[in-house]
């Protein structure tokens, strides 16, 4: 038969229909045989055909059976992969394994790199069989970044206000991290902050557009005491056992509260001596400022320690000064008061009093009753209130300060309005 070329279906067990040989002879052909196997391996196989006649003569010829492999392997690549990025350029990814079938042994290779960059990567797989037939297939490795960056905002801030609307604050910096790359970190903070709470939104964006946000709280509070201005200290002479004093007005302002509440612990009248008046400004945030005003009530221009104190009662008293300088104080009754010889300070009450000056330089301060005052031999200063007073100066040079001259009778005393 003719030579045969046939496509292999097996590496060694290929069934081939080799056909039949024909022979002629003048006497007669007894037999035609061959040495063919039942199956054929890949490659060329030579079959020897033999014809024999009745006389035993033989003749031989050959037939070539060529079993060839021109069919490429069947290659199945791993499935396409979508993997989350852990790096911009160096992502290690398990691709899986390709499989191939062929009648011959197959070698499978790929052009894959050890690591993959962000984005779509095409991997070419190649299967090669023993005959050199090749088959190719592709696998797509898509490295994606869908993970938002990590963002840590600065700590919340509490700051004392320096203004109601324009507080300059260093809010610090946020920290950000991303597996691929941080593209930007931004915030919506104003250039200056008003009093109260302001929420600052921090935003981080990575190279692929993923974002993350975090909040920082800026609290501008008022913990500053108000600015308090109080009246100046006062030095005044007593006009009675308890002397009314006009303290003046305090003012206060705050950074946020323009009108803090102002209070003081002053009484309506003041005893002789030093009294500390505490002024306090309290704003609506509880901040306070306290300052002290000193009210110094003198007894006839001197302190209490300069005198021997002679104190009356609320009844009708007879009060007499000693030989040292005296501070003689009458209260509410109708008193008879005798000054001593050393120059006394006499402060009577509002009763109808009879007052005798001494030999020293006395200062007599009468109340609003109807008083009879007789000066002594010293130089006296006599102050009377709004009652009807009879004043007779002594042998010295006396000055009388009158409350209502139309009501007073004055003898031997240079008078003036009180």
């Amino acid at each position: 038969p003719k030579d045969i070329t046939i496509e292999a279906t097996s590496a060694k067990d290929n069934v081939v229909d080799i056909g039949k040989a024909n022979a002629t002879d003048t006497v007669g052909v007894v037999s035609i045989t061959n040495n063919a196997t039942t199956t054929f391996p890949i490659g060329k196989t030579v079959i020897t055909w033999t014809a024999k006649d009745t006389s035993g003569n033989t003749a031989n010829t050959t037939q070539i059976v060529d079993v060839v492999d021109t069919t490429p392997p069947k290659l199945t690549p791993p499935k396409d992969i979508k993997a989350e990025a852990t790096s911009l350029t160096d992502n290690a990814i398990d691709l899986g394994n390709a499989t191939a079938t062929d009648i011959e042994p197959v070698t499978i290779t790929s052009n894959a790199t050890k690591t993959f960059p962000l984005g779509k990567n095409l991997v070419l797989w190649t299967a090669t069989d023993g005959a050199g037939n090749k088959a190719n297939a592709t696998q797509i490795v898509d490295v994606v970044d869908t993970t938002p960056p990590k963002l840590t905002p600065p700590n919340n801030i509490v700051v004392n206000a320096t203004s109601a609307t324009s507080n300059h604050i260093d809010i610090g910096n946020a920290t950000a991290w991303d597996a691929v790359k941080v593209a930007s970190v931004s915030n919506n903070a104003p250039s200056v902050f008003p009093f109260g709470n302001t929420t600052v939104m921090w935003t981080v964006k990575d190279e692929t557009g993923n974002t993350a946000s975090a909040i920082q709280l800026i609290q501008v509070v008022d913990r500053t005491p108000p600015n308090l201005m109080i009246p100046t200290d006062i030095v005044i002479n007593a006009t009675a056992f308890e002397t009314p004093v006009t303290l003046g007005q305090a003012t206060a302002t705050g950074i946020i509260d323009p009108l803090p509440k102002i209070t003081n612990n002053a009484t309506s009248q003041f005893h002789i001596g030093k009294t500390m008046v505490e002024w306090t400004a309290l704003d609506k945030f509880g901040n306070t400022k306290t300052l002290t005003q000193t009210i110094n009530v003198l007894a006839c221009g001197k302190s209490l320690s300069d005198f021997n104190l002679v104190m009356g009662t609320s009844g009708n008293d007879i009060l007499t000064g000693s030989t040292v300088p005296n501070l003689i104080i009458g209260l509410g009754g109708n008193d008879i008061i005798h000054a001593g010889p050393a120059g006394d300070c006499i402060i009577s009450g509002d009763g109808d009093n009879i007052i005798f000056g001494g030999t020293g330089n006395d200062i007599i301060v009468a109340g609003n009753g109807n008083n009879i005052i007789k000066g002594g031999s010293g130089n006296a200063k006599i102050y009377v209130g709004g009652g009807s007073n009879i004043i007779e100066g002594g042998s010295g040079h006396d000055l009388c300060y009158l409350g209502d001259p139309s009501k007073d009778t004055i003898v031997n005393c240079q008078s003036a309005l009180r």
Side-chain angles (χ1 to χ4, degrees), residues 7 29 47 55 99 127 147 173 201 203 224 231 265 308 315 322 358 383 385 395 413 417:
E7 186 69 24
V29 175
I47 299 174
S55 301
T99 58
T147 302
N173 294 302
M201 179 69 74
T203 302
T224 301
N265 65 345
N308 170 58
S322 65
Y383 299 84
S395 59
C413 188
L417 285 175

Side-chain angles (χ1 to χ4, degrees), residues 169-185:
I169 301 173
D170 180 3
I171 63 174
N173 294 302
T175 57
W177 177 90
D178 189 72
V180 177
K181 185 180 180 182
V182 173
S184 65
V185 178

Side-chain angles (χ1 to χ4, degrees), residues 159-164 167 195 220-224 255-256:
V159 66
N160 199 35
T162 58
S163 164
N167 297 278
F195 177 78
V220 180
V221 299
D222 184 2
R223 294 177 180 171
T224 301
I255 293 175
I256 306 301

Side-chain angles (χ1 to χ4, degrees), residues 258-341:
L259 294 173
K261 181 181 179 181
I262 301 174
T263 57
N264 66 57
N265 65 345
T267 57
S268 60
Q269 296 181 322
F270 292 81
H271 291 284
I272 296 171
K274 288 185 178 181
T275 300
M276 313 304 286
V277 176
E278 287 191 349
W279 293 84
T280 299
L282 170 66
D283 67 19
K284 62 185 179 181
F285 306 105
N287 302 304
T288 61
K289 179 69 174 288
T290 299
L291 295 175
T292 301
Q293 178 188 20
T294 300
I295 309 300
N296 190 4
V297 180
L298 300 177
C300 302
K302 297 180 180 180
S303 65
L304 186 63
S305 62
D306 294 329
F307 296 99
N308 170 58
L309 179 62
V310 179
M311 177 69 74
T313 67
S314 60
N316 300 322
D317 299 312
I318 298 176
L319 305 173
T320 302
S322 65
T323 58
V324 298
N326 301 284
L327 171 59
I328 303 174
I329 299 177
L331 296 180
N334 300 319
D335 300 327
I336 299 173
I337 301 174
H338 296 270

